[in-house]
């Protein structure tokens, strides 16, 4: 829970209370006075501020919410949808310390838009501490784990199973994988803390969480037109042409073997597992979001002419063959349509950032440098480094992307990772090795949703 850095007043169950400096507080406190300096960080303050505003708005309240739900009532799938959403929002609050602000905001949006309550019930169930401890026992003891469950752990596992069954029942043609759900704190589709690659794509793109379905569909249009005409003349038909971009969430897997001894040391396994899963997923996505084929994997933005990718229509070529110069940076920026210029962001490999930093503007040593000293913007526009992009400047190399990323590219995650436990692994002589294996299965897709909002630079 967040820790107060400065005393402030609140109400708890309608009674006034004072939170003293250094004390923890929970989502059950209705804040009366808010100051940024009272919180550990700005993200915590902003979220608490939004909660306080919602608390004062009767239209934002959900009927039937319990202020102190027990584990069982917080995880039932037969409760009112409003109560399910409330429980899920509280789960997000409890995990605020490990969630990035962007991940927390995405989850809150998904929960608030969950009309059926199935996904909210799932999130609330997998966030229960009792389920987290039950998950550890499953890893440590395999098929014998249920015999070691406490009553709370047994209830927690059953609640997750009910939530999964409800989600599967609401999905068309989608069933359970037959495994068990990864606890909230370990789910790499919810939290991404990897530092294995430079991968800003999720942060700058549109990220959509889906549940129940395997495919996300949007609606796009080039807009309507307007016309002048003579008085009394028939008007033109200016109806827009609609398109429906679709992105399928494709299956990804990660297999983690671990010794039975490590499984018996649950705290170590939990941290190792979270690190391994997050690092593996982020490393995979860094490549697939760029050049994935879109067939049984995400579509990459530079999968030119293929599923989920751009076409040569969005290509900007360097002025000189096999050469990359300062003028090409301006050329790429100026090619993006005016509608998207204000939100444009450059994405290049770290080595290309170094090349741009060392450019000497043609014909002058006094002209402003293209790249700022802190390397956060190129000619006034933000720049992010994607380590899987090309670093060479030979003919055909696609070395830079300039786009309004939230308009141009979408990442689609199906919330919830399932795992299968392999009780024993065997060696070459078909004898047990004293290891178990954990097979994680999730679904993610990506693709271009508006090609007009992006341009890429290719070396001539």
């Amino acid at each position: 829970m967040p820790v107060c850095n400065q005393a402030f007043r609140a109400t708890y169950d309608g009674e006034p209370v004072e939170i003293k400096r250094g004390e923890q507080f929970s989502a059950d406190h209705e804040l009366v006075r808010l100051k940024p300096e009272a919180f550990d960080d700005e993200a915590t303050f902003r979220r608490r501020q939004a909660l306080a505003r919602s608390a004062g708005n009767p239209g934002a309240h959900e009927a039937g919410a319990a202020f102190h739900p027990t584990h069982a009532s917080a995880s039932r799938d037969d409760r009112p949808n409003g109560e399910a959403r409330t429980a899920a929002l509280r789960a997000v609050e409890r995990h605020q310390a490990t969630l990035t602000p962007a991940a927390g905001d995405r989850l809150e949006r998904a929960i608030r838009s969950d009309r059926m309550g199935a996904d909210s019930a799932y999130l609330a169930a997998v966030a229960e501490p009792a389920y987290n401890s039950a998950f550890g026992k499953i890893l440590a003891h395999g098929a014998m784990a249920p015999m070691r469950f406490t009553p709370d752990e047994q209830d927690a596992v059953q609640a997750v199973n009910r939530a999964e069954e409800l989600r599967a029942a609401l999905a068309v043609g989608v069933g359970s994988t037959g495994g068990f759900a990864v606890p909230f704190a370990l789910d790499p589709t919810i939290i991404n803390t990897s530092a294995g690659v430079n991968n800003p794509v999720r942060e700058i793109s549109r990220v959509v969480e889906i549940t129940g379905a395997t495919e996300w569909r949007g609606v796009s249009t080039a807009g309507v037109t307007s016309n002048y005409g003579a008085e009394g003349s028939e008007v033109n038909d200016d109806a827009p042409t609609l398109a429906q971009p679709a992105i399928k969430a494709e299956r990804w897997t990660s297999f983690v073997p671990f010794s039975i001894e490590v499984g018996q040391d649950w705290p170590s396994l939990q941290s190792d597992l979270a690190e391994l899963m997050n690092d593996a997923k982020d490393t995979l996505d860094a490549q697939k979001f760029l050049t994935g084929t879109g067939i049984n994997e995400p579509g990459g933005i530079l999968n030119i002419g293929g599923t989920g990718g751009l076409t040569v229509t969005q290509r900007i070529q360097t002025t000189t063959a096999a050469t990359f110069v300062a003028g090409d940076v301006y050329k790429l920026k100026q090619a993006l349509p005016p509608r998207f210029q204000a939100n444009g962001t450059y994405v290049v490999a770290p080595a290309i950032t170094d090349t741009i930093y060392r450019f000497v503007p043609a014909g002058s040593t006094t002209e402003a440098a293209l790249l700022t000293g802190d390397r956060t913007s190129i000619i006034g526009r933000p720049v992010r480094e994607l380590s899987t992009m090309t670093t060479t400047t030979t003919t055909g190399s696609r070395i830079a992307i300039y786009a309004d990323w939230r308009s141009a590219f979408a990442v689609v995650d199906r919330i919830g990772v399932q795992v299968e436990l392999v009780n024993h692994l065997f060696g070459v002589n078909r004898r047990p090795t004293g290891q178990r294996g954990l097979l994680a299965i999730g679904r993610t897709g990506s693709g271009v949703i508006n090609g007009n909002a992006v341009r890429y630079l290719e070396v001539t």
Side-chain angles (χ1 to χ4, degrees):
M1 293 188 294
V3 176
C4 175
N5 291 334
Q6 176 179 312
F8 64 94
R9 293 180 295 110
T11 59
Y12 190 84
D13 279 355
E15 296 295 327
V17 296
E18 182 176 349
I19 310 299
K20 297 180 181 179
R21 181 182 178 87
E23 288 186 345
Q24 293 182 327
F25 55 92
S26 73
D28 292 331
H29 289 97
E30 181 181 351
L31 307 185
V32 177
R33 180 165 58 88
L34 292 166
K35 288 186 177 181
E37 60 267 27
F39 299 86
D40 286 334
D41 55 66
E42 183 179 357
T44 301
F45 167 68
R46 298 300 178 194
R47 187 164 298 173
R48 290 288 172 177
Q49 189 179 48
L51 284 172
R53 285 198 298 267
S54 296
N57 177 12
H61 294 179
E62 297 285 359
F67 287 99
H68 299 287
T70 62
H71 165 265
S73 65
S75 302
R76 289 200 310 267
D77 58 51
D78 59 348
R79 63 193 170 184
N81 294 344
E83 187 177 347
R85 289 194 293 269
T86 299
L89 288 170
R90 286 182 177 160
V92 173
E93 283 293 315
R94 289 200 305 272
H95 289 273
Q96 197 175 73
T98 53
L99 283 171
T100 64
D105 290 343
R106 290 199 306 270
L107 283 173
E108 286 189 17
R109 287 195 297 269
I111 292 167
R112 295 186 187 282
S113 62
D114 179 18
R115 297 182 178 180
M116 301 299 294
D119 303 318
S120 299
Y122 169 83
L123 286 171
V126 297
E128 284 291 329
Y131 182 70
N132 193 48
S133 60
F135 183 86
K137 291 180 179 179
I138 292 172
L139 296 184
H141 305 292
M144 302 299 293
M147 299 181 64
R148 300 171 183 264
F149 285 168
T150 66
D152 282 347
E153 289 171 343
Q154 189 173 29
D155 289 345
V157 172
Q158 291 175 352
V160 172
N161 289 340
R162 287 196 298 269
E164 280 287 18
E165 289 170 1
L166 177 61
R167 296 209 306 165
L170 293 174
V172 179
V174 181
S176 171
T177 64
F180 50 96
V182 171
F184 186 103
L186 302 184
D187 190 336
T189 64
I190 294 175
I191 306 165
N192 199 319
T193 59
S194 170
V197 291
N198 290 338
N199 181 16
V201 176
R202 282 180 178 274
E203 183 179 344
I204 61 178
S205 301
R206 178 176 181 178
V207 179
V208 182
E209 285 81 16
I210 62 172
T211 54
T214 60
E215 187 176 71
W216 170 82
R217 290 182 178 271
V219 178
S220 64
T221 177
V224 301
T225 57
S226 297
N227 299 275
Y228 286 103
E231 181 179 352
S233 63
E234 183 178 359
V235 300
N236 295 334
D237 181 355
D238 300 318
T241 299
L242 301 179
Q244 190 174 52
I247 298 176
K248 183 181 178 182
E250 302 287 359
R251 188 194 74 172
W252 62 266
T253 59
S254 182
F255 183 71
V256 181
F258 59 92
S259 68
I260 293 177
E261 291 85 352
V262 169
Q264 293 169 344
D265 183 13
W266 165 239
S268 174
L269 178 59
Q270 184 180 27
S271 60
D272 291 348
L273 180 63
E275 182 178 350
L276 288 168
M277 290 180 65
N278 278 287
D279 185 72
K281 180 66 162 54
D282 198 38
T283 300
L284 179 66
D285 287 347
Q287 184 61 57
K288 299 307 179 183
F289 292 164
L290 184 67
T291 57
T293 64
I295 300 174
N296 297 326
E297 64 182 23
I301 191 169
L302 292 184
N303 178 31
I304 307 302
T307 302
L310 297 170
T311 67
V312 293
T313 303
Q314 291 85 34
R315 180 179 64 184
I316 304 300
Q317 294 181 294
T318 59
T319 302
T320 306
T323 304
F324 176 43
V325 298
D328 297 322
V329 179
Y330 288 94
K331 186 177 181 181
L332 177 62
K333 177 178 180 293
Q334 293 162 4
L336 194 67
R339 179 183 299 276
F340 308 107
Q341 284 280 359
N343 297 315
T345 297
Y346 286 96
V347 170
V348 297
I352 297 299
T353 306
D354 295 338
T355 299
I356 296 173
Y357 188 78
R358 300 180 65 180
F359 275 154
V360 176
S364 175
T365 58
T366 59
E367 183 180 345
L370 279 72
L371 189 65
T372 56
D374 60 4
R375 302 193 179 200
T376 59
S377 66
I378 297 176
I379 50 179
R381 302 309 309 157
V383 58
R384 303 299 302 271
E385 293 181 337
L386 176 58
S387 56
T388 51
M389 284 195 68
T390 298
T391 60
T392 61
T393 55
T394 55
T395 299
S397 296
R398 296 157 186 151
I399 57 175
I401 302 170
Y402 184 59
D404 176 352
W405 283 82
R406 296 193 191 283
S407 298
F409 193 75
V411 176
V412 176
D413 288 316
R414 188 181 188 276
I415 293 178
V417 175
Q418 289 281 313
V419 294
E420 295 277 355
L421 181 66
V422 181
N423 274 317
H424 292 286
L425 301 184
F426 295 86
V428 294
N429 295 316
R430 299 183 181 180
R431 292 190 289 268
T433 63
Q435 293 176 297
R436 304 192 197 281
L438 194 69
L439 175 63
I441 303 174
R443 278 182 274 180
T444 294
S446 66
V448 173
I449 55 176
N450 183 0
N452 204 31
V454 56
R455 296 292 183 271
Y456 68 95
L457 184 66
E458 181 177 290
V459 180
T460 304

